[in-house]
Amino acid sequence: MKKISVFMCLLMLISLFSTNSFAGELSSVKGDTTQLLVAANDAAPKSASELVGITWSFGRTDGTVLSTTMKLAADGRIVDGTGHWNESYWKYEKGILYIIGGDGTSITTTFDRFSKVNGKLTMTGAYAYDANITHVMRQLTESESDDEKSNITAKQFLPNTEVGGSLVGSAYVWYKIPVKADGNLSVTLDTTAGNVELRIFSPDMVSLTNADNWGKEITLTVDGLLPGDYYVKLLMYGFPDQDYCDYTLKNTFDEALLANDVENNDKSDGASVLPLSGEVTGHVGYDYGYGNSFADLSDWWRLEVPQDGNLSVFLQQTNPGNFQLAVFKKDAVTEVVRPVDSWGKTIALEIKDIKAGTYFVKISRYAWDFTPYMLSTVFSGSGIVPEQKNISETFESGNRLSWTPYTNAIGYRIFRSTTKGVEGISVTDFYITSVSYADVNVESNTTYHYTVRPVLAEADPVRGIDEKLGPVIATYTLKTGNVTYKPGTTKNFIMLQLDNPYLTKNGIKSEIDPGRGTKPVIISSRTMVPIRAIVEAMGGTVGWDPNTQKITLKARGNTVEMWIGKTDIFINGVGTKMDVTPVVTNDRTFVPVRFAAENLNCKVDWINSTKEAVIVYEE
């Protein structure tokens, strides 16, 4: 502490007092202290009683606020202050306001200059031990009286930017971060010295999280923000004349992958609409102990069922955390089925023979877990169980899967694992566009677990957005046979189905003969296929000689020659016979798929249950 003048020493000696009857009964201070500068409007209080109970802001004349919510009590105490003023006292005598140290002997500050602006009183003075430090005490309005409302002067702090500045002891500064979308916010504070509190507030000024940095870099993160203005407050602990630091503040904001539902749907009477056989996205947030203000503990959705039938409700979440999924009757109290907990996984509620009417779906979160989610429903009317299209079968070259199409899907991902309960990795680097798949890159005598999810939106690597997946729509467990085709090699497949104008190559669906509806057919107990589409899908070529009606297939290092109406076939110049001849139908050449493919160094498997031919070949 700096040296105290002789004049101020006299003041401290005279200021010894009894705190029980302090405010108006102190002995007079002698000397030049009666000299004061009063504003032209005579703003100086006439007595101590005019200062009692008013909320004040204490700071420097440069606008730096050092503490707020300071009140002068009638018994001489300073109450509701922050920092080192909590233990101080006051007196007002002969036009001078004295702030006295907690020991009751040392005068800390005197205020002897007064003015009024817009009806608010301002008092100006200096520390007794350093007249060069000038401070002000400003009367606050009710709207400014709460320290947590001082964000009214907050500085702009745009998302994903960095700011900096300086702080002195007991001083604070506010920043405002305008958030325009759902997402997660992190704020990092680094200082050169001292201890600074970092605190993040919601738009309605509820403290969400805080921590002291003790001179080190710290980061606070709040997940699941809704759009709005969020506030950051820095408060440095210590004394204005002793403690000082520079600070750097930066924030990062990551926009949520899934958009939030429209709030406020925290109760059934504000439930959002859940479409039948459709999907919605949303999230439930956090409360950090302040559950009556900014909490988003649950979401309610209203579902209208137009007729009796069967209903499935799926909940998929993007991050770990335990959610509960429940379905209620129209009273929003009676459970239709027992709720289920997610424990971070996709879950479903199956309700058979549900009656027509209004129902509510509720999503609740436990503790402070946060995660965006996708909610979807599948409904079949008339109380009839829909045709089961989720089919799986093991064949010689691998495993064949098919599933029910999913509304709004642009494709599908198939995840494969050899461990039960583990989703595993995608069997392809790309999403597939068919609703069936032949997994031919498998090992023999191995049990595989498959999970199918719809793809709802493309990935955007430039913006850092991942592919958007829907809920699990099918699962399978299959064990391969003792022998598989060419194990250890990377294989492709082409799948064709009788009376189906589409083929599938490695899960990508395309039309066999665009615009013509050409389909595989059975002739003389043999599967006949439009050969050009198949050979070209392998990267080969098809030649045609109209004079001799000769077909030449070249692919995978082999050449196959055959003639319309003849059973003769030559493979790399070696002749043999087929038991059915190639034919021309609707100007398209059909050949027996087995003879053609196997002689192009491919394997052909026939799946009788689905009337499909699967052509398998190496890279």
Side-chain angles (χ1 to χ4, degrees):
M1 182 179 291
K2 299 180 180 179
K3 293 183 178 180
I4 302 175
S5 64
V6 174
F7 163 70
M8 295 312 304
C9 289
L10 290 173
L11 284 177
M12 289 186 289
L13 291 173
I14 295 171
S15 298
L16 294 174
F17 56 87
S18 170
T19 60
N20 292 329
S21 58
F22 173 67
E25 301 176 7
L26 295 180
S27 59
S28 299
V29 179
K30 305 298 182 182
D32 296 334
T33 58
T34 57
Q35 297 180 6
L36 62 150
L37 301 177
V38 181
N41 58 0
D42 194 23
K46 298 296 188 293
S47 66
S49 62
E50 295 183 29
L51 300 175
V52 174
I54 296 175
T55 302
W56 303 90
S57 170
F58 180 79
R60 289 180 174 174
T61 53
D62 62 3
T64 303
V65 178
L66 302 180
S67 63
T68 59
T69 64
M70 175 189 291
K71 291 185 180 181
L72 309 181
D75 62 359
R77 294 178 300 110
I78 297 178
V79 296
D80 295 333
T82 60
H84 61 291
W85 298 115
N86 288 336
E87 303 296 329
S88 300
Y89 301 89
W90 71 280
K91 73 172 182 176
Y92 182 71
E93 206 170 66
K94 294 185 178 181
I96 300 177
L97 174 66
Y98 299 89
I99 302 297
I100 302 171
D103 58 3
T105 63
S106 58
I107 296 180
T108 306
T109 309
T110 58
F111 292 92
D112 59 0
R113 295 179 294 279
F114 304 88
S115 63
K116 269 191 176 180
V117 179
N118 297 327
K120 292 189 291 186
L121 178 64
T122 297
M123 299 177 282
T124 307
Y127 275 134
Y129 46 79
D130 191 341
N132 294 321
I133 301 178
T134 304
H135 294 80
V136 296
M137 187 177 287
R138 183 174 69 91
Q139 179 184 352
L140 297 177
T141 63
E142 282 303 314
S143 62
E144 300 173 292
S145 61
D146 184 355
D147 180 49
E148 308 307 357
K149 301 294 184 182
S150 296
N151 60 299
I152 56 175
T153 58
K155 303 176 183 179
Q156 189 83 336
F157 189 17
L158 295 176
N160 300 305
T161 61
E162 181 177 309
V163 295
S166 301
L167 283 171
V168 296
S170 296
Y172 63 80
V173 63
W174 285 85
Y175 287 95
K176 178 174 69 176
I177 304 176
V179 172
K180 304 299 183 183
D182 304 327
N184 305 326
L185 176 68
S186 294
V187 179
T188 299
L189 170 68
D190 193 15
T191 61
T192 56
N195 183 23
V196 177
E197 180 193 58
L198 170 64
R199 189 180 291 267
I200 302 176
F201 293 83
S202 69
D204 56 354
M205 294 310 300
V206 171
S207 176
L208 300 178
T209 182
N210 69 286
D212 296 339
N213 84 323
W214 296 102
K216 298 179 180 180
E217 181 179 283
I218 59 171
T219 299
L220 297 182
T221 298
V222 182
D223 290 338
L225 299 183
L226 303 176
D229 291 334
Y230 291 82
Y231 294 92
V232 174
K233 178 185 177 184
L234 303 181
L235 170 65
M236 185 175 187
Y237 297 100
F239 295 89
D241 59 311
Q242 299 176 8
D243 300 295
Y244 172 89
C245 76
D246 294 322
Y247 67 86
T248 300
L249 195 65
K250 58 184 177 181
N251 77 73
T252 56
F253 178 76
D254 298 319
E255 187 171 336
L257 177 61
L258 299 178
N260 184 35
D261 52 296
V262 177
E263 297 290 344
N264 182 4
N265 64 344
D266 296 343
K267 298 180 180 180
S268 59
D269 56 4
S272 302
V273 175
L274 175 60
L276 195 65
S277 294
E279 64 183 37
V280 293
T281 60
H283 65 228
V284 290
Y286 49 83
D287 64 2
Y288 285 88
Y290 297 91
N292 61 351
S293 181
F294 197 68
D296 185 13
L297 307 182
S298 60
D299 283 345
W300 284 81
W301 298 88
R302 188 180 73 255
L303 181 65
E304 299 293 341
V305 177
Q307 58 178 302
D308 297 352
N310 299 307
L311 176 69
S312 298
V313 182
F314 298 90
L315 174 65
Q316 179 195 4
Q317 54 197 84
T318 61
N319 298 324
N322 189 18
F323 282 13
Q324 185 182 79
L325 174 64
V327 178
F328 297 90
K329 291 184 177 180
K330 189 176 182 178
D331 60 6
V333 175
T334 306
E335 295 174 351
V336 179
V337 292
R338 186 175 181 83
V340 293
D341 295 339
S342 69
W343 297 106
K345 299 179 180 179
T346 297
I347 54 176
L349 284 175
E350 306 286 343
I351 308 170
K352 293 185 177 181
D353 299 323
I354 191 170
K355 303 302 180 183
T358 300
Y359 295 86
F360 288 97
V361 177
K362 181 185 180 184
I363 299 173
S364 307
R365 68 108 169 104
Y366 294 95
W368 49 84
D369 297 332
F370 159 80
T371 175
Y373 64 82
M374 179 181 297
L375 185 66
S376 61
T377 63
V378 176
F379 176 77
S380 60
S382 303
I384 301 174
V385 177
E387 179 185 357
Q388 177 57 261
K389 294 184 179 180
N390 293 352
I391 301 172
S392 63
E393 184 174 339
T394 297
F395 65 102
E396 188 174 345
S397 295
N399 296 323
R400 188 264 184 196
L401 317 170
S402 67
W403 53 90
T404 303
Y406 187 83
T407 305
N408 299 326
I410 62 173
Y412 301 89
R413 283 280 182 183
I414 302 175
F415 298 92
R416 182 182 64 195
S417 173
T418 55
T419 303
K420 186 177 181 179
V422 176
E423 191 168 71
I425 62 175
S426 176
V427 297
T428 56
D429 292 335
F430 49 87
Y431 64 79
I432 65 175
T433 57
S434 65
V435 290
S436 60
Y437 189 81
D439 189 10
V440 296
N441 291 295
V442 293
E443 299 297 325
S444 61
N445 200 29
T446 303
T447 299
Y448 292 96
H449 304 276
Y450 297 92
T451 302
V452 180
R453 294 182 184 273
V455 178
L456 305 177
E458 297 268 9
D460 188 347
V462 175
R463 297 176 59 196
I465 298 175
D466 294 332
E467 193 175 70
K468 180 181 176 182
L469 298 179
V472 173
I473 59 173
T475 58
Y476 314 89
T477 298
L478 293 168
K479 184 176 181 180
T480 55
N482 293 328
V483 178
T484 57
Y485 177 63
K486 294 190 176 180
T489 63
T490 301
K491 296 175 283 292
N492 300 301
F493 74 89
I494 297 172
M495 186 184 295
L496 304 101
Q497 188 176 41
L498 286 180
D499 296 321
N500 189 336
Y502 291 87
L503 64 78
T504 299
K505 178 185 177 182
N506 294 335
I508 302 300
K509 183 179 178 181
S510 62
E511 200 170 358
I512 292 174
D513 195 0
R516 297 178 64 95
T518 305
K519 307 171 184 178
V521 295
I522 295 289
I523 299 177
S524 299
S525 300
R526 290 288 181 260
T527 304
M528 307 289 285
V529 295
I531 195 61
R532 181 179 297 275
I534 296 173
V535 172
E536 289 180 350
M538 295 179 187
T541 61
V542 178
W544 169 248
D545 184 348
N547 295 323
T548 62
Q549 293 194 312
K550 176 183 175 183
I551 308 153
T552 303
L553 313 178
K554 291 186 177 182
R556 307 184 48 72
N558 290 347
T559 299
V560 175
E561 299 166 287
M562 58 183 73
W563 289 261
I564 298 297
K566 295 183 179 181
T567 58
D568 297 318
I569 181 172
F570 283 77
I571 300 98
N572 297 325
V574 179
T576 186
K577 292 284 186 178
M578 298 183 291
D579 58 1
V580 63
T581 65
V583 297
V584 175
T585 301
N586 294 329
D587 296 325
R588 287 297 182 262
T589 301
F590 284 74
V591 304
V593 63
R594 185 174 301 279
F595 282 94
E598 288 183 350
N599 288 302
L600 290 173
N601 198 21
C602 303
K603 185 179 187 301
V604 179
D605 286 301
W606 175 255
I607 301 177
N608 191 61
S609 62
T610 57
K611 307 302 181 186
E612 289 173 311
V614 182
I615 303 169
V616 184
Y617 57 98
E618 294 178 86
E619 283 283 3

